[in-house]
Amino acid sequence: MTAHLLSRSPSRDRDRPALSFLDGMALPLARAHEFCGDARRTLAALVAARTEGPVFWISPSWLPERLNPEAAAHLFDPGRVVFLEPQRAEDLLWCLEEVLRAGVVPLAVADLPGPPGMTAVRRLHLAAETGAAEGEVAPLGLILTPGDGGAPGIESRWRLRSAHGMQTDPAGKPRQGWHLHRLRARTAPVQGWQMTTGPQGFRTEPLAAAA
């Protein structure tokens, strides 16, 4: 019986519904993921562009950093975003947890001042799974953290850093560029990509090694 149960676990992970967002990269639904790095909000906007319906964006009321709707407009309709600004630190994750548990919003983002602990991450996973089982959609939860992140127990961790000017377009002007790294994932290896913009949108090429 034990061997039978263990043999089924990898299969369940592979079969879990996921949202593809960049060249075959995917985020399993009904789970919480972490985006870090100075361009983490850009990465979250890219994911938002691959969803339909409202996006709940939770930010601390006491910090100045916000998603810039004008800058995000070239990726997705910022009119889809419902902004929540809790006044207490403990309410940031509580809001995210409640949105995920409701199972009516496909994407919920929490812009955090630092990584949460293991218990908080487990609660997010459970809330997302409850939302998928009892709600209308399988929700996706994103937590945005500064630096290299580090939330324990997260389903996956992705870091996006600015690397502008590393390439030029046909006119010789610098292109926008980033370094994207998958730092953690349950079913995929650590890997890095060079990401640039072009006439066909975003383009990624594997880096020699993840950093």
Side-chain angles (χ1 to χ4, degrees):
M1 178 64 72
T2 301
H4 174 68
L5 291 174
L6 290 176
S7 68
R8 289 176 57 85
S9 179
S11 176
R12 287 198 301 269
D13 289 339
R14 289 193 299 268
D15 296 340
R16 185 188 295 273
L19 176 72
S20 296
F21 65 103
L22 274 174
D23 294 341
M25 303 175 210
L27 301 171
L29 298 176
R31 303 292 286 174
H33 305 262
E34 182 178 23
F35 287 178
C36 58
D38 67 290
R40 57 192 179 277
R41 297 179 186 91
T42 297
L43 190 57
L46 284 172
V47 172
R50 302 304 301 269
T51 66
E52 297 180 356
V55 175
F56 275 45
W57 198 289
I58 305 161
S59 302
S61 62
W62 60 92
L63 294 180
E65 293 85 1
R66 293 288 184 278
L67 176 71
N68 184 346
E70 293 184 2
H74 74 287
L75 296 176
F76 76 107
D77 178 10
R80 295 169 49 204
V81 181
V82 177
F83 291 100
L84 305 177
E85 297 185 357
Q87 297 184 358
R88 301 186 307 171
E90 57 267 31
D91 290 338
L92 292 169
L93 290 172
W94 179 86
C95 285
L96 178 58
E97 187 178 328
E98 291 302 302
V99 173
L100 294 175
R101 183 177 290 108
V104 295
V105 176
L107 177 63
V109 181
D111 203 341
L112 305 178
M118 175 69 79
T119 299
V121 172
R122 286 177 175 170
R123 291 179 63 91
L124 293 176
H125 289 320
L126 289 173
E129 291 169 358
T130 300
E134 302 177 2
E136 301 174 4
V137 298
L140 185 67
L142 299 181
I143 60 171
L144 311 186
T145 55
D148 291 335
I154 207 73
E155 180 73 16
S156 69
R157 179 179 302 115
W158 303 74
R159 183 182 67 206
L160 188 64
R161 288 177 172 171
S162 303
H164 302 327
M166 62 186 181
Q167 288 189 358
T168 58
D169 61 19
K173 296 181 179 180
R175 282 180 174 170
Q176 282 189 305
W178 300 264
H179 285 160
L180 172 64
H181 287 89
R182 181 172 56 214
L183 300 177
R184 169 190 167 88
R186 291 182 60 192
T187 58
V190 173
Q191 190 170 347
W193 296 267
Q194 177 177 292
M195 190 172 84
T196 56
T197 57
Q200 304 302 320
F202 288 89
R203 174 183 178 186
T204 59
E205 297 179 358
L207 289 171

